[in-house]
Every structure is written in C-alpha cells, then in structure tokens.
Amino acid sequence: MHLRTLELFCTIAEQRSFSKAAEAHDLTQSAASQAIGHLEESLGVRLIDRSKRPLVLTPEGQTYLSGLRGVLRSYQRLEEEVRSISCTLRGRITIGTIVSVGLSYMPAATEAFARLHPEVDVMTEFGSADRVVEMTTEGEVDFGLVSFPKSTKRIQCIPWQQEPMRIVCSAEHPLAEKRQMTLDQLRGSDMIGFDRELILRQEIDRCLARAGVAVNVRMEFDNVDSMIRAIQANRGMGIIPEAAVRRETANGSLRVVACREWRMTRPLGMIFRRSGRLSRAANEFGSLLLGRAIESEIKSKSGSRKAAAESGSIEAGNGTSIVA
C-alpha cells in the first residue's frame, strides 16, 4: 500500500471529511474515496463509517489509526536520519563568552564539535558580561555564554549549569595541607578577589556577609586568569569557579580547600536574541554544550527556569540555605 494513501487516511480521520482531506492532499474527492476503498479492500475491513456525518472511524479504523501514526512517525524520523547523512554541516558560527566560561568550557566543546562537524569553523569572542549581551543583542554572535544570566525584552536566556565556587589557595599557603576547614577560619583572612564591580564578586561578598564572615580583599581583578596568576605568585587565597582551576589543581600549583559549610554556586546560562533564529550549525553546537536539544529550550518561557538561572546559594553553618 502506498505511503500517500496511509497519510491520506490519517488526514481523513483527523478532518472527519473526505472533501477536506482531498483538498489537503491535492486530490479530487472521488480519488480520495477510491484510494480509501482500495485500502479497505486490501485489509478486508471497513475503516470508516460513511453513514454518519461527520465521518467516524469504525473500531477497526481506530485501531488502524493508532498503530499507523506510530509507523508514520518512525518513517519520518528515518527519512530525516538518511537525509542528514548526506547533508554535511558547513560554515561558521561565533560564540560570545565571558573569559572564565570561555577558557573553561569552549576548548573541549570546540574539539568535540570539530570531530562531529569538521567543516564548521567555530569562533570564540571574549568580553565582559555586558559586552557578551551587546554582541548577542546586535547579532554579532550566534549566542552568548554568561554567568548570572537574565532574560530581557530582546534577550532570552536558558539555564546551562550551576558551577561550584571553590576556596582555592597556592601550594605554599598555610591552608594548603588542610583536608578540611571551617568558614570561621576564613574570618580576617587576606584574599585575592574579583573586581567589586562584577556581579560574581558582589554575590561572593553577600554570601560571606550572610554567613557572618569578613575577609580582607587585598587585590582585585576583572578576570579569573589574572586572579589565578596572582594567587600563585603571592601565595594567596581566593574563591574561584571550580572549572577555571582544573589545570592548576591537577598539576599541584593550586589547592582546593574543602569546606562543608561552603555551598555557593554561580549559575551559567546561554543567551539568545528573541528576534533571531539559530542556524543549524549553531543549534547543533548549543545542543552539544547543553546536553539536550536546544530548540525547545529557546522557546520555553518557564518562570521557574528563569528563577533557577538567576540565583546561587551557600549553606551557613546552621544548615540554612542562603540565596545569593
């Protein structure tokens, strides 16, 4: 039986009309009726009760429709899979990102994407959070990667991940050999921190204050790379995104000091122009980063997801959750 006849039967069942279904399939009503008649003859059953208006399916027709829809969906997916084999992705995509996120996540993601789609050129544009938002809004990049993302009238954000913030010190720091520390041990400590104009620094300060811990920030930097070098050079200590110090903790030049009371995370998210549409290559790259199909996420306007993307937290010593 021809696939077109099966699709026609589904349309008749949905429209409950031969004439409407015939029009949808660019057929005459007579041709549509004959096609279904041949289908019924081949099956040896009546699928449609023509004595009622609008038309209704017989019990056999309802069973056939239920199974047929699954068959047709499977066939459509098969067609898409076959077409994609010969449809090689090509071109260029540009991702805007803040420095700490770009250096931590983009190299591995770009390498993995290149193995899947070698003919796509992936470019990375670094900038401050405000600059990444501007590049995304103006269409200079396909999408952006930022911390503490927010949706606006022109920008839509989707949550990506919650990245732990770690207490980190140089290998020569007095705390380097401790397996565990308490937040109280941070009180009065000299620290190397982010610039106080950055949202991340403000959230760190807020979390420490709510936990009743005051520290002395002796140096401030507007990017995580400079902050890491300063901690190494000055035998210092700071609070840094976990992924940003993987290489240094692996080679032993920095140590992560465990603290059960410290539970702060920074939310990372992807931002997109509401008026734009992702290319297929950008869609694939975004889905690779996200770990799930990105298209449905962009269309989602869930308030709960937005709230989750805009907050971080720590737990104070008494176990109370503190929203950053």
Side-chain angles (χ1 to χ4, degrees):
M1 185 55 60
H2 292 301
L3 180 65
R4 190 175 184 187
T5 301
L6 302 180
E7 293 172 337
L8 173 63
F9 170 72
C10 290
T11 305
I12 292 172
E14 293 166 358
Q15 299 286 342
R16 302 181 69 181
S17 167
F18 272 98
S19 60
K20 291 181 180 179
E23 182 178 358
H25 287 262
D26 197 23
L27 296 170
T28 65
Q29 184 173 341
S30 176
S33 180
Q34 289 179 27
I36 298 304
H38 292 318
L39 175 60
E40 291 174 322
E41 288 176 8
S42 69
L43 293 172
V45 297
R46 283 289 178 183
L47 299 174
I48 300 173
D49 186 347
R50 295 165 174 78
S51 66
K52 298 179 180 180
R53 291 291 185 273
L55 301 174
V56 296
L57 297 181
T58 64
E60 294 86 351
Q62 292 173 352
T63 300
Y64 193 65
L65 177 66
S66 178
L68 185 58
R69 282 173 171 163
V71 171
L72 291 176
R73 281 196 296 269
S74 296
Y75 184 80
Q76 289 167 355
R77 287 194 294 267
L78 177 60
E79 281 189 323
E80 292 170 359
E81 183 178 349
V82 171
R83 290 193 185 103
S84 67
I85 293 174
S86 60
C87 187
T88 304
L89 284 182
R90 294 181 176 86
R92 171 181 292 186
I93 56 176
T94 306
I95 314 300
T97 177
I98 58 175
V99 175
S100 60
V101 172
L103 294 179
S104 300
Y105 297 99
M106 285 298 291
T110 302
E111 182 179 343
F113 191 78
R115 289 195 295 268
L116 295 171
H117 308 290
E119 296 192 39
V120 177
D121 187 16
V122 180
M123 306 292 292
T124 303
E125 291 285 346
F126 292 93
S128 65
D130 288 342
R131 175 58 183 148
V132 174
V133 170
E134 179 185 2
M135 288 190 291
T136 304
T137 303
E138 299 302 321
E140 298 176 34
V141 296
D142 291 278
F143 62 85
L145 303 173
V146 295
S147 60
F148 301 96
K150 291 184 178 181
S151 293
T152 66
K153 290 182 178 179
R154 301 181 66 185
I155 290 292
Q156 181 179 348
C157 74
I158 59 174
W160 177 19
Q161 58 182 295
Q162 293 284 338
E163 183 178 41
M165 298 294 297
R166 300 301 188 193
I167 301 170
V168 175
C169 66
S170 73
E172 295 80 19
H173 192 278
L175 289 175
E177 299 305 319
K178 286 188 175 293
R179 293 187 176 183
Q180 285 284 341
M181 66 172 292
T182 65
L183 277 179
D184 192 61
Q185 289 177 280
L186 276 184
R187 188 173 282 110
S189 297
D190 291 341
M191 303 278 285
I192 294 172
F194 289 99
D195 190 294
R196 65 190 64 196
E197 297 298 320
L198 298 179
I199 295 177
L200 180 56
R201 165 65 186 280
Q202 295 166 13
E203 297 298 335
I204 291 172
D205 288 350
R206 188 174 293 117
C207 287
L208 288 173
R210 288 178 179 175
V213 175
V215 298
N216 301 315
V217 179
R218 298 300 187 183
M219 299 181 185
E220 297 181 358
F221 298 93
D222 64 1
N223 67 86
V224 71
D225 196 41
S226 296
M227 189 173 166
I228 289 171
R229 290 199 297 270
I231 291 174
Q232 292 172 322
N234 295 275
R235 301 180 180 180
M237 178 170 61
I239 297 173
I240 296 180
E242 180 180 68
V245 291
R246 286 173 181 162
R247 179 180 58 190
E248 288 76 16
T249 54
N251 64 29
S253 62
L254 290 182
R255 305 285 174 82
V256 173
V257 186
C259 180
R260 292 191 180 95
E261 301 161 286
W262 183 252
R263 294 291 185 272
M264 179 183 174
T265 62
R266 70 165 179 171
L268 303 181
M270 301 180 184
I271 57 175
F272 309 84
R273 279 192 305 162
R274 291 188 183 274
S275 60
R277 182 176 181 180
L278 290 181
S279 66
R280 185 179 163 217
N283 189 304
E284 290 292 328
F285 192 90
S287 297
L288 175 70
L289 280 175
L290 196 62
R292 59 185 182 273
I294 203 171
E295 191 171 17
S296 59
E297 295 285 342
I298 297 174
K299 296 177 182 178
S300 171
K301 297 182 179 179
S302 168
S304 61
R305 285 180 177 173
K306 179 181 176 184
E310 293 175 0
S311 66
S313 67
I314 67 170
E315 291 182 4
N318 59 10
T320 303
S321 178
I322 302 176
V323 177

